[in-house]
Amino acid sequence: MTPTHKYTQLTRHKSRDVFGRTYSDVYSDCTISYNSGRFIKLKVQATDDVRNGKGGSTWKRKQIKNVGPTPLKVSNWVFGHVDDVNKPVKEYSFGDIAQVIGRTLAITPLMLFLNFAVRPGGGEVRNGGNYDAVPYRYFGRPKTSRNPLDNSIHQGEIQFQKTVTERPAIFAALPSEKTPRAVSERTERILLPRRLCWLDTKPQVVVQDGEEYQAYQSTDVKQWMKQNAKHCPEYLFVAWRVSQFETENPQDKEALHELARRATKEAGLSCYWISDNCFTAPEEELSLDVWRMSDIVRGSSGMAIALGRLPDEDTSADMNSDKDPCYALLSSWSQSIWTFPELLLSKGSTITCYYFSDHEEEPLAKASDPFQDSSASPYGTIRKQIIPKNQFAARCLETSRDRYQVRRLIDHYSGNLKLSDLELTTVALECFSSRQVGTQYLPGDYSYALMGLLGRRPSVHRSDSAFLAFARLSLENYNNRLFERMLCLLQHEEQMWYDTTDVYGARLWDIEPSVQVAGIGIYNEQEAEMDAVNEREFDQEFFHRDDDGVTFEKDLPPSPLSHSKRQYPPSVASQPRTHLASRSQVSFQSQAPLSPPTSISHPAYNSPIQKSWPPTVTEMTELPSSSTQQQKPKYSHAQLNPETDTIILDGCLAATVHWSEFCTPLTTSYPALFRRILKWLLRVNIIPLIVGTILALIPSPPVSGFGAFILAYSLSILVASPFIIRILYGGKFWGVQPFFFGFEGYMPIGEIERKIWGADMGRLKWSWYASSPLAVHKIEEEGRYIVSEDPTVVEETRRMVEEAKNAGPGNLRVFTLVDTYSMTATLFQARRPPQALLICGSEGGMQRALGCSFEWTTQTFYKETVLRLETRVLDKMDRIRRVRLGIKRGHMEATHRASL
């Protein structure tokens, strides 16, 4: 009974059960009592091989007991020696018959009393004939709710948002502006670029280290429009990557702008947008322009890609001769999450690339500038190459999977082959996740870069992990309930959370979710205050109101000369300020390049807010300088934080799984006349026995003879009781009280039925129709019938069962789930025993049930596995309140008790 391992964490925790009662204890494995709602220690029945194994567990283990009816168990003892080998009656030997007769005579006196306990069907009606419900209630609150009114907002925030969204009476407020969410929870699009670089603006000549360089300057678009009384002109978007241009090197800066100016002139335009010069002021390193560059691309007249310099001829000879060196540069350029959207959103059916080359070939474009002689260019010959956009994936990408998915996105944005909302988000997520983040501004950068492709964009929260950022993006957009479908997937152990590959082979659009995500994350007051202050600072910094009350963007200070040293905060003084990064940089850097503020003032508050940033998983750490060691975040984009990466799920049908012991469920059978007669013969047999005994003792021969006959009849019934009882408890079940029973390990299907109903009658079957990844079935009689088989007929499954006998804490184990309603048993793998099944969707004519373990300290259910159940189980389940669900449960350190 005692767990073999004990958790090393000795801190006492407190939590509330469904009725609000407080439960306090050190960390341990607990479950919810189905009949009282209290938290009780988890007890799991296990097979003898598992209990005697070398691994051990952190929960209590029990022996699996036979809970069948006592009369049936005694009757089965008579035939035990032949039942064990499944020998039919016709094949009984003389020894078998003699042993049956001997055992029958031995238990005859006992059967006289057991006959009164014969109750075919047994059990009682539980929970109105349904599965036992899950008495659960989550008392916490999510970080972000689907409905904005469910989010608690400080009075100061409400007041501030009213001042931002109010309009004069002559202007009707838009529906989205009537709620506080309009400003604080959504990142709006920008219609015009803030700054542009003009060709007719002469660069300044700056001398640095004895060398002269051309320093280019951008111009504020709004000021230009006022001065020239014109609309914003058409501009060229210039894409580039820092791995090909070192922006801190003034020589590379000059070369980059030379390519940009050449591309702009050939496009017949007068200005261009380039991220190095046209971002907002450098102190706004985390300005929303970083995540809204997709709007700049959409508003441009076209795009040109500056690729830097081709490798020399010796290096090119070592490369794959079948691949153009320009394609290699393009491939590297497209491997960043920041440049990839530019490829998809750019206008036109071709991609125009400019680069320098020293190869002895005829140049496709000459380096020329209104203020510089092209022949004097020290950077080499400018070449131009045009590639059809629909051929980009085939020519420039490495893996076949990436080529296929990128081509689908290109066709979608080109209008050739439209993807559904669900397919678009799924394919885009896969493509973004296979790319590098380079310079990581926030943990959720992958999702924030992805949101540029979608119509509705949530606000940028510094405290969001990659999972929470994508969850908020999914809630904000219509994507055919993508997130709910992803919850129903069963992933392999090595899969990342964003991988939509299903072990059962289903696709997302095959799943029909029946639940709704009502919220994400867990509310943290410090993180919420941090996000709110960041949003208010942005609104104050970038917006102001004119005399008519209409909100405009502020005039931003001009950017400094592109060559000069940028005045970064101390934490990023040594880091290049670009939206791109090379492959050589660490893939997952610390979360944010800005140091946390120590004091933030806001007019909505009477005094400055003293900020404290706790060291949570999504902590905003500083980017290290060149003299300090690089720090890595605790959780990368592909990893989940078990404590915070959770969701609030509503609308689940749920049922409790009983792990501590079996019980004999109530059954109903067809009332056959033969069985009715036998049942009454047993029940009234005591009457002829007593009457026959009394009459046999009377000295009158006729009377005593008749009494002896009645006594012989009664004794024959008594001797035949084991046979009669097996017949009475036999037959087919027309209805069974629904239960989910579970135990650790594997047993033959006949042994499982014997433990629950007292005898192996062949009524319990292994599950079929791929109820779990280990389920096996076959086709019999020329494909007419589907018959389930023992999962251990598969060699790999048999090996899993043997290895699981010695599984320790945190290792994969083998469990068996018995469903009495459908009379099936399912073998599956999980790290912990699922204490509840949550129905979240349907697929392929089956229901997707999430097998979840329970973590009582945080009131969280964690997904351990996904099983497929028959649809008719829905009629026998009750709904559960909103559930806090975690995708992956963390591993707690546990020590063997023998070492304590």
Side-chain angles (χ1 to χ4, degrees):
M1 289 287 291
T2 304
T4 58
H5 290 71
K6 184 178 181 180
Y7 290 108
T8 57
Q9 185 186 98
L10 300 179
T11 306
R12 295 190 68 87
H13 299 269
K14 288 185 178 181
S15 186
R16 293 181 180 181
D17 62 18
V18 64
F19 297 111
R21 296 169 297 199
T22 301
Y23 178 78
S24 177
D25 197 358
V26 296
Y27 190 88
S28 60
D29 292 318
C30 290
T31 186
I32 304 176
S33 175
Y34 69 92
N35 54 8
S36 68
R38 296 183 181 275
F39 298 154
I40 58 177
K41 300 294 184 181
L42 177 62
K43 301 176 184 179
V44 178
Q45 52 184 354
T47 61
D48 294 339
D49 292 338
V50 173
R51 290 190 301 110
N52 299 327
K54 301 178 181 179
S57 65
T58 55
W59 52 79
K60 296 182 179 180
R61 280 174 169 168
K62 296 178 60 178
Q63 183 181 8
I64 303 177
K65 297 182 179 180
N66 190 329
V67 297
T70 301
L72 182 59
K73 289 191 290 185
V74 174
S75 301
N76 287 334
W77 175 78
V78 175
F79 303 90
H81 63 290
V82 290
D83 285 345
D84 292 340
V85 294
N86 295 323
K87 184 182 293 186
V89 178
K90 295 181 180 180
E91 298 180 7
Y92 282 7
S93 64
F94 178 79
D96 294 335
I97 296 175
Q99 191 171 359
V100 168
I101 295 175
R103 291 189 179 189
T104 302
L105 295 177
I107 66 169
T108 297
L110 180 62
M111 298 306 297
L112 179 63
F113 302 96
L114 291 180
N115 287 341
F116 293 99
V118 175
R119 296 289 186 273
E124 60 180 357
V125 177
R126 291 263 292 266
N127 194 32
N130 293 345
Y131 294 98
D132 284 331
V134 182
Y136 166 86
R137 182 178 182 181
Y138 179 58
F139 289 92
R141 50 175 290 198
K143 180 179 181 180
T144 303
S145 298
R146 182 182 288 271
N147 191 313
L149 297 181
D150 291 338
N151 295 323
S152 296
I153 302 177
H154 297 296
Q155 187 63 31
E157 292 184 49
I158 297 177
Q159 180 65 29
F160 171 73
Q161 289 164 352
K162 286 182 178 179
T163 61
V164 173
T165 58
E166 282 179 351
R167 290 175 179 267
I170 59 175
F171 294 100
L174 298 176
S176 61
E177 296 177 338
K178 294 180 181 180
T179 63
R181 184 179 183 177
V183 172
S184 64
E185 293 296 335
R186 186 173 302 145
T187 301
E188 302 297 341
R189 296 178 58 181
I190 55 176
L191 303 181
L192 297 176
R194 304 184 193 279
R195 313 188 69 82
L196 288 174
C197 294
W198 263 262
L199 292 180
D200 58 2
T201 302
K202 291 186 178 182
Q204 298 183 6
V205 178
V206 179
V207 179
Q208 183 175 344
D209 298 332
E211 298 289 339
E212 292 186 355
Y213 301 101
Q214 303 288 340
Y216 296 92
Q217 191 174 15
S218 62
T219 302
D220 185 271
V221 174
K222 187 175 181 180
Q223 293 180 355
W224 184 91
M225 292 169 60
K226 290 182 178 180
Q227 293 175 0
N228 296 273
K230 296 180 179 179
H231 294 290
C232 177
E234 293 186 353
Y235 59 91
L236 182 72
F237 184 92
V238 179
W240 61 285
R241 193 177 182 188
V242 75
S243 60
Q244 296 157 357
F245 294 95
E246 179 53 56
T247 55
E248 293 303 316
N249 186 341
Q251 191 177 32
D252 283 7
K253 295 273 293 185
E254 186 177 359
L256 173 62
H257 279 271
E258 187 172 346
L259 292 178
R261 296 169 73 84
R262 163 52 55 189
T264 305
K265 186 174 181 180
E266 289 195 355
L269 302 175
S270 59
C271 55
Y272 61 92
W273 189 97
I274 191 167
S275 59
D276 188 65
N277 278 59
C278 300
F279 266 154
T280 54
E283 59 270 13
E284 300 299 332
E285 183 75 18
L286 285 182
S287 113
L288 292 184
D289 284 358
V290 175
W291 300 286
R292 298 195 299 192
M293 282 193 299
S294 57
D295 297 331
I296 307 297
V297 182
R298 286 187 173 98
S300 65
S301 177
M303 184 184 74
I305 304 176
L307 294 177
R309 181 182 300 277
L310 288 185
D312 54 34
E313 295 184 2
D314 294 337
T315 305
S316 300
D318 297 335
M319 300 175 63
N320 189 351
S321 58
D322 296 336
K323 191 170 185 178
D324 193 307
C326 176
Y327 295 163
L329 292 179
L330 266 178
S331 177
S332 174
W333 171 82
S334 67
Q335 293 305 310
S336 170
I337 63 171
W338 305 113
T339 57
F340 185 64
E342 300 168 0
L343 166 68
L344 302 175
L345 301 177
S346 60
K347 294 182 179 179
S349 59
T350 59
I351 301 173
T352 305
C353 308
Y354 290 84
Y355 55 92
F356 294 104
S357 176
D358 295 330
H359 295 186
E360 296 297 330
E361 298 178 7
E362 184 67 23
L364 300 178
K366 295 182 179 179
S368 61
D369 192 278
F371 314 104
Q372 180 178 347
D373 185 3
S374 60
S375 60
S377 173
Y379 304 112
T381 304
I382 297 179
R383 300 189 183 278
K384 172 183 176 182
Q385 187 159 349
I386 300 176
I387 302 174
K389 188 181 290 187
N390 56 11
Q391 294 299 315
F392 172 85
R395 297 184 184 183
C396 302
L397 300 183
E398 301 293 339
T399 64
S400 57
R401 179 66 179 178
D402 196 29
R403 293 171 184 168
Y404 173 70
Q405 297 292 54
V406 171
R407 176 61 184 271
R408 295 178 67 187
L409 289 179
I410 292 177
D411 289 341
H412 172 80
Y413 285 98
S414 299
N416 295 331
L417 186 62
K418 285 291 185 179
L419 300 175
S420 65
D421 296 319
L422 180 61
E423 290 178 304
L424 174 61
T425 309
T426 303
V427 174
L429 177 63
E430 180 178 343
C431 291
F432 274 82
S433 299
S434 63
R435 279 158 172 75
Q436 297 99 26
V437 68
T439 300
Q440 184 173 355
Y441 299 102
L442 296 178
D445 273 349
Y446 276 89
S447 299
Y448 294 143
L450 172 62
M451 74 180 181
L453 304 181
L454 306 178
R456 300 168 65 87
R457 309 171 186 176
S459 59
V460 176
H461 286 182
R462 300 190 183 194
S463 61
D464 275 353
S465 64
F467 175 83
L468 294 181
F470 177 75
R472 289 201 303 115
L473 183 64
S474 178
L475 294 184
E476 190 71 29
N477 288 272
Y478 174 76
N479 48 28
N480 211 349
R481 305 174 75 181
L482 166 67
F483 212 68
E484 287 84 351
R485 296 172 190 265
M486 292 180 65
L487 295 177
C488 298
L489 296 175
L490 178 60
Q491 298 176 312
H492 295 281
E493 283 291 320
E494 64 276 7
Q495 278 184 240
M496 307 305 176
W497 64 266
Y498 51 79
D499 191 346
T500 58
T501 303
D502 183 38
V503 173
Y504 293 107
R507 296 160 295 186
L508 280 181
W509 44 87
D510 296 329
I511 300 173
E512 290 294 333
S514 58
V515 296
Q516 185 181 53
V517 175
I520 59 173
I522 180 172
Y523 179 78
N524 183 290
E525 186 175 359
Q526 292 176 327
E527 290 183 356
E529 186 64 29
M530 176 185 68
D531 295 331
V533 170
N534 290 337
E535 292 165 6
R536 291 195 297 268
E537 282 187 324
F538 172 78
D539 292 331
Q540 281 191 318
E541 179 68 27
F542 290 97
F543 294 94
H544 76 283
R545 299 174 60 82
D546 62 2
D547 296 336
D548 296 330
V550 181
T551 302
F552 287 103
E553 295 181 1
K554 281 188 175 182
D555 296 334
L556 298 173
S559 296
L561 298 180
S562 59
H563 78 281
S564 61
K565 184 70 176 178
R566 296 167 175 78
Q567 301 300 320
Y568 294 109
S571 61
V572 293
S574 60
Q575 297 294 322
R577 179 190 165 273
T578 66
H579 69 293
L580 309 172
S582 65
R583 284 185 176 183
S584 60
Q585 291 180 298
V586 179
S587 298
F588 299 100
Q589 298 181 9
S590 299
Q591 274 80 347
L594 282 182
S595 300
T598 57
S599 179
I600 303 175
S601 300
H602 197 278
Y605 294 86
N606 297 327
S607 60
I609 303 173
Q610 299 297 327
K611 292 297 299 166
S612 61
W613 293 37
T616 59
V617 174
T618 53
E619 179 183 8
M620 300 297 104
T621 56
E622 299 178 357
L623 284 178
S625 62
S626 57
S627 60
T628 61
Q629 186 178 1
Q630 180 85 13
Q631 295 183 357
K632 295 182 180 179
K634 185 175 180 181
Y635 295 95
S636 68
H637 164 72
Q639 295 174 317
L640 291 174
N641 178 5
E643 299 177 0
T644 59
D645 290 341
T646 58
I647 62 173
I648 305 298
L649 207 58
D650 183 58
C652 296
L653 291 169
T656 296
V657 181
H658 298 271
W659 291 95
S660 59
E661 60 183 358
F662 293 141
C663 68
T664 303
L666 174 68
T667 61
T668 58
S669 302
Y670 180 76
L673 179 61
F674 179 65
R675 287 192 177 90
R676 287 184 180 182
I677 295 174
L678 292 179
K679 182 173 68 174
W680 283 108
L681 286 177
L682 283 181
R683 288 187 177 182
V684 302
N685 187 51
I686 188 64
I687 298 175
L689 180 63
I690 296 174
V691 173
T693 302
I694 295 174
L695 294 178
L697 296 177
I698 297 176
S700 175
V703 176
S704 60
F706 180 70
F709 174 77
I710 297 177
L711 183 60
Y713 159 78
S714 178
L715 291 177
S716 64
I717 296 296
L718 190 60
V719 172
S721 294
F723 303 90
I724 297 175
I725 290 175
R726 284 166 63 95
I727 295 174
L728 291 178
Y729 281 97
K732 303 301 181 183
F733 291 156
W734 285 85
V736 184
Q737 167 67 39
F739 280 105
F740 284 119
F741 295 123
F743 63 89
E744 184 178 355
Y746 160 83
M747 284 195 305
I749 193 66
E751 183 66 20
I752 299 174
E753 184 177 357
R754 187 178 296 112
K755 294 289 186 182
I756 299 177
W757 284 280
D760 177 14
M761 302 290 183
R763 293 169 294 201
L764 188 66
K765 304 293 184 181
W766 287 109
S767 59
W768 50 82
Y769 296 122
S771 297
S772 83
L774 304 182
V776 179
H777 62 270
K778 63 181 180 179
I779 309 299
E780 288 187 348
E781 297 188 20
E782 300 179 356
R784 297 179 60 189
Y785 302 106
I786 297 178
V787 180
S788 61
E789 283 194 305
D790 192 315
T792 55
V793 298
V794 180
E795 178 64 28
E796 181 67 18
T797 303
R798 190 160 54 249
R799 183 187 60 81
M800 290 180 184
V801 172
E802 291 298 323
E803 293 178 353
K805 294 177 181 178
N806 300 314
N811 297 333
L812 278 175
R813 304 170 184 265
V814 171
F815 298 96
T816 303
L817 179 74
V818 180
D819 180 11
T820 62
Y821 185 59
S822 62
M823 292 299 293
T824 57
T826 303
L827 194 72
F828 66 93
Q829 276 189 307
R831 298 190 182 276
R832 293 172 177 268
Q835 291 126 311
L837 295 180
L838 308 180
I839 303 296
C840 295
S842 61
E843 168 269 321
M846 304 283 280
Q847 297 297 313
R848 291 271 175 143
L850 274 59
C852 301
S853 62
F854 182 64
E855 212 285 304
W856 68 272
T857 61
T858 58
Q859 298 177 316
T860 306
F861 283 98
Y862 285 93
K863 185 170 76 170
E864 299 290 343
T865 186
V866 178
L867 302 177
R868 301 172 77 237
L869 306 180
E870 295 183 15
T871 302
R872 67 193 188 112
V873 302
L874 299 181
D875 299 331
K876 299 297 181 179
M877 286 188 176
D878 298 322
R879 292 201 181 272
I880 190 175
R881 292 182 174 91
R882 288 187 175 186
V883 175
R884 186 187 181 205
L885 180 67
I887 308 302
K888 183 178 182 181
R889 186 168 182 173
H891 175 64
M892 299 290 293
E893 293 294 333
T895 305
H896 199 285
R897 287 182 178 271
S899 63
L900 295 178

